[in-house]
Amino acid sequence: MPDVKRPLPISLQTFRKLREGGFSYVDKTAHIATLTQDTGAYFLSRPRRFGKSLFVDTLKEVFEGSEELFRGLYIHDRWDWEQRSPVIVLNFAAGVIQSRAQLDEMLAEH
């Protein structure tokens, strides 16, 4: 195996850009397989800048059936890529919401 140094995905929050850009990646897709097989609610708690957004985006790509992005990763041979699910993304990082009316407006836009 050649000693190839891949760039680190500093500030990348989309799984597609990470995989298509050839960045270094520690495969966490085994956790996705576990999360989707078990029932219940999950709270993803990690320190700031520790990959929460990237992990959630990875979940989105799995459920949308983006098989090509997962070749060579744990989940590739363990997922039904023919079954696709709609994904709704609510991004609260876009700014400060200062009232209930602003929250209602943002949710209505999504």
Side-chain angles (χ1 to χ4, degrees):
M1 180 173 177
D3 184 22
V4 177
K5 292 185 180 184
R6 295 177 175 211
L8 295 175
I10 306 297
S11 296
L12 270 181
Q13 296 179 358
T14 60
F15 187 70
R16 181 172 296 278
K17 286 182 184 177
L18 184 143
R19 293 292 284 171
E20 291 177 347
F23 290 90
S24 294
Y25 176 69
V26 175
D27 186 5
K28 298 177 199 85
T29 60
H31 299 298
I32 292 173
T34 302
L35 283 172
T36 58
Q37 291 169 0
D38 295 339
T39 59
Y42 295 94
F43 177 72
L44 300 177
S45 175
R46 290 183 175 169
R48 290 187 66 218
R49 314 291 308 151
F50 209 79
K52 293 180 297 291
S53 297
L54 180 59
F55 185 70
V56 170
D57 192 70
T58 305
L59 282 170
K60 176 186 81 73
E61 294 291 352
V62 166
F63 282 106
E64 288 180 344
S66 303
E67 177 186 9
E68 72 281 359
L69 298 177
F70 295 91
R71 289 197 177 103
L73 300 180
Y74 176 88
I75 204 166
H76 185 260
D77 296 331
R78 295 166 177 86
W79 192 263
D80 179 4
W81 297 105
E82 298 297 318
Q83 181 177 345
R84 294 168 188 231
S85 302
V87 175
I88 299 170
V89 178
L90 300 175
N91 184 356
F92 291 98
V96 177
I97 297 172
Q98 298 190 13
S99 70
R100 174 61 193 256
Q102 284 181 332
L103 175 62
D104 290 344
E105 182 180 331
M106 190 266 314
L107 290 173
E109 288 174 10
H110 284 298

